[in-house]
Amino acid sequence: MSSGPSMTLHVLGSGAAFSRRYGTTCSVLSLPSGERWLIDCGRQAPEQLLHAGMRWHDVAGQLITHVHGDHVFGLEEFAFVRYYTSVPGLPAVMKGGPRPRLAAHSAVLAELWEVLGPSLRYRSTAKGEPVTGTLADYFDVLSPSSVEPPAQASWNHAEAFHVAGLSLVVRETRHVYGKPSTSLEFALPGESSRLAWWSGDAVVDADLLERLESRTTIFFHDCTFVDFPGQVHGLFSDFEKLPPHLRKKIVLMHHDDGIEQHRERAQALGFRLAMPGDVYDLCSGQRLREG
Ligand SMILES: [Zn+2]
Ligand SMILES: [Zn+2]
């Protein structure tokens, strides 16, 4: 029924930080142009990509929500493989090939270099000369087109990015107290005010979800069923309090290995559960393929 360009999201890993069964966070965002971007790049991303039949050379860009190993530990390999290796039609970055794009909040980018710097700082040119590397030698690091002033965090509240075929707002959320961590609001093709939303790792912010709901087709939200003092994830008992019109748009992801024992209860309330291999049409909010 649907017509026009679409945007899809293919879940590679749907598990929480310590998941063994569902894999760490990484999803493939396919744009109407055909470009494929990754949302986060956790420690298991290299194997997840392989299983999905993709190579690093198939990835046009990378989005990073925050710097935790289950979201960024695959990035070093991405950077090095693209920098040093060529495939037919796509030369290595060191030989003049295009750098993959990278978009993240500036506060997140600064932390990202703390993780990647000890590896990426040491690089060699195509002639084998050793030179000092920066993030920009490996990635086309995008600059935000606009910035919102600070809210509760000491860093800027939100940054907007626009590149060919992709417009998004990267917004501060509360994950681990004081740590830069962001959600992603994707502008959908066609109707410019419609969104698809990705939480990154965040506690439930019912006010924000409610504010976005009328123009958002689908919300992907990290979740946990285990409460503890200083909660850093979306707690299921907080999701339960949301009104039905919100619950039915929410796909619970970044879940624990024991998620199946909660499936019935979650689905009865209208929630969907993300699984590796699932493909969602972001424009309709519907799942196209079950993993
Ligand atoms: Zn995480
Ligand atoms: Zn995290």
Side-chain angles (χ1 to χ4, degrees), residues 66 68 70-71 175-176 179 181 201 233 254:
H66 69 294
H68 270 153
D70 58 315
H71 297 257
H175 177 29
V176 180
K179 177 176 176 58
S181 192
D201 285 357
H233 293 294
H254 197 283

Side-chain angles (χ1 to χ4, degrees), residues 94-146:
M94 74 183 302
K95 293 180 179 165
R99 292 165 301 163
R101 289 171 169 144
L102 173 64
H105 192 287
S106 48
V108 172
L109 275 181
E111 289 199 340
L112 192 56
W113 187 244
E114 292 184 42
V115 172
L116 295 174
S119 301
L120 302 191
R121 188 175 293 126
Y122 308 93
R123 70 178 178 98
S124 51
T125 66
K127 292 177 181 165
E129 298 156 339
V131 284
T132 301
T134 68
L135 206 51
D137 290 318
Y138 299 87
F139 294 100
D140 176 8
V141 183
L142 302 182
S143 299
S145 57
S146 62

Side-chain angles (χ1 to χ4, degrees), residues 12-229:
L12 300 186
S14 69
F18 313 128
S19 170
R20 288 294 173 273
R21 191 173 290 164
Y22 302 115
T24 51
T25 295
C26 185
S27 288
V28 181
L29 183 69
S30 295
L31 306 183
S33 65
E35 273 193 5
R36 285 182 284 185
W37 287 57
L38 296 185
I39 302 173
D40 285 338
C41 190
R43 80 172 170 265
Q44 291 162 349
E47 285 72 31
Q48 290 166 339
L49 235 58
L50 182 72
H51 288 135
M54 282 179 67
R55 309 165 301 174
W56 291 118
H57 293 80
D58 298 322
V59 181
Q62 174 75 60
L63 304 167
I64 295 293
T65 61
H66 69 294
V67 180
H68 270 153
D70 58 315
H71 297 257
V72 302
F73 278 1
L75 263 185
E76 179 186 311
E77 180 177 312
F78 186 12
F80 277 144
V81 168
R82 286 293 293 268
Y83 187 79
Y84 287 110
T85 71
S86 304
V87 297
L90 194 61
V93 170
M94 74 183 302
K95 293 180 179 165
R99 292 165 301 163
R101 289 171 169 144
L102 173 64
H105 192 287
S106 48
V108 172
L109 275 181
E111 289 199 340
L112 192 56
W113 187 244
E114 292 184 42
V115 172
L116 295 174
S119 301
L120 302 191
R121 188 175 293 126
Y122 308 93
R123 70 178 178 98
S124 51
T125 66
K127 292 177 181 165
E129 298 156 339
V131 284
T132 301
T134 68
L135 206 51
D137 290 318
Y138 299 87
F139 294 100
D140 176 8
V141 183
L142 302 182
S143 299
S145 57
S146 62
V147 174
E148 271 183 29
Q152 72 261 36
S154 56
W155 35 288
N156 287 311
H157 187 52
E159 295 181 356
F161 294 89
H162 301 284
V163 287
L166 181 61
S167 287
L168 76 155
V169 172
V170 173
R171 187 178 304 280
E172 157 200 333
T173 52
R174 190 169 82 65
H175 177 29
V176 180
Y177 185 78
K179 177 176 176 58
S181 192
T182 55
S183 61
L184 309 173
E185 297 164 15
F186 298 106
L188 295 173
E191 300 162 70
S192 60
S193 65
R194 300 240 289 166
L195 300 174
W197 191 85
W198 181 269
S199 67
D201 285 357
V203 298
V204 177
D205 182 342
D207 290 343
L208 175 66
L209 299 179
E210 197 62 85
R211 274 209 307 279
L212 294 174
E213 188 277 330
S214 65
R215 56 196 191 99
T216 301
T217 55
I218 188 165
F219 295 87
F220 293 89
H221 208 308
D222 82 315
C223 82
T224 183
F225 289 80
V226 183
D227 199 10
F228 59 89

